Amino acid sequence: MSIRYRVLHETVTTYHRDVTLSQQFLHMTPRSFAYQTTESHELSITPKPQDWSNRVDYFGNATRLLTLSTPHPELTVVSDSLVTIQPRPDRSRLIDSPAWEDQRARLRSTLDATTLEPYAFLFNSPHIACGDELADYARPSFTPGRPVLEACMELTERIHSDFKYDPDATTIATPLLDVLRGRRGVCQDFAHVMIGCLRSLGLSCRYVSGYILTMPPEGQPRLVGADASHAWASVYSEGLGWIDFDPTNRCLVQHEHITVGWGRDFSDVTPMRGIVLGGGGQELRVAVTVTPIVD
């Protein structure tokens, strides 16, 4: 059964002084792929850019490049999307995946049309350096002959149990091994840990950026802006393709996650990044609202 969502993502950057020139690179357009269809997407930008262009990056994600050349004390970007989510393979399918050692051997020994894409997600990336410490953390879940996706589910559950969600513990610049040793962080950190563990074992894993529907406490209304930008990991399994795991929420990704894009790590799919001339300091406010649509 498919589910439709409307996603509003508002980003407001307030500067201490006027910015005289700004160039921004956005990843805010949800992808369309086997399990998701983006029916519509609009970007509203204040002040209005003097120049902009739509592009597709190396990983197939839709992007927009903006140039604002009039002085402005504040920049507001509102992304408004309508998406439909299709059913994904459920947990019962995990045992259908190949043994993890066989999957690793296949990726190491064969480079053809079926392995070319996952091959790109085997290696170090700007925020993820593979190594023995990450492999050692993962290894208890990857016993001999175990189906790769079944082992990944256990790793997902272990990260959720072993790590504490703490938005003050890390920044995007915190080294991955510090996150692994400190056992604290946010969803981006937990996705990076899982990806680093799997790549350190020779398995293909990519970073996914998007949104998640959050549920209010029982008896209370859903609040505008209370949902979140989110991140999780996607693992390649021959036969089933890419299967997504969310270590922050200890789950196999199903019908409450909306995908914006994917890449090697956070640096490939940052929602908004850029350079400004002027501005001094700045404050950032982000609000995300995911609304299920009932026909």
Side-chain angles (χ1 to χ4, degrees), residues 9 11 41-47 49 64 75-80:
H9 179 179
T11 303
H41 173 72
E42 294 183 5
L43 278 171
S44 175
I45 298 151
T46 307
R64 181 170 291 189
L75 173 61
T76 300
V77 178
V78 179
S79 170
D80 186 352

Side-chain angles (χ1 to χ4, degrees), residues 146-159:
R146 193 174 194 186
V148 60
L149 296 180
E150 185 180 87
C152 288
M153 189 71 245
E154 182 177 300
L155 179 61
T156 298
E157 294 168 345
R158 286 177 50 219
I159 293 172

Side-chain angles (χ1 to χ4, degrees), residues 202-216:
L203 298 169
S204 181
C205 192
R206 65 192 183 190
Y207 180 97
V208 186
S209 175
Y211 310 105
I212 184 170
L213 174 69
T214 57
M215 303 305 295

Side-chain angles (χ1 to χ4, degrees), residues 108-120:
R108 285 178 172 178
S109 63
T110 306
L111 186 59
D112 57 23
T114 63
T115 61
L116 185 59
E117 183 187 20
Y119 190 79

Side-chain angles (χ1 to χ4, degrees), residues 64-169:
R64 181 170 291 189
L65 180 64
L66 312 173
T67 299
L68 300 97
S69 55
T70 55
H72 53 280
E74 187 173 88
L75 173 61
T76 300
V77 178
V78 179
S79 170
D80 186 352
S81 306
L82 183 64
V83 301
T84 298
I85 306 297
Q86 303 293 339
R88 295 177 181 244
D90 61 25
R91 192 161 178 162
S92 67
R93 297 294 306 278
L94 301 185
I95 199 170
D96 296 339
S97 59
W100 72 272
E101 303 98 327
D102 295 342
Q103 180 69 81
R104 176 177 63 182
R106 164 79 168 156
L107 290 169
R108 285 178 172 178
S109 63
T110 306
L111 186 59
D112 57 23
T114 63
T115 61
L116 185 59
E117 183 187 20
Y119 190 79
F121 298 97
L122 287 171
F123 308 104
N124 292 345
S125 55
H127 290 292
I128 301 173
C130 302
D132 292 341
E133 203 166 338
L134 288 160
D136 289 344
Y137 178 78
R139 200 162 278 118
S141 300
F142 288 80
T143 52
R146 193 174 194 186
V148 60
L149 296 180
E150 185 180 87
C152 288
M153 189 71 245
E154 182 177 300
L155 179 61
T156 298
E157 294 168 345
R158 286 177 50 219
I159 293 172
H160 179 272
S161 298
D162 292 348
F163 289 71
K164 181 178 180 180
Y165 189 91
D166 183 354
D168 297 320

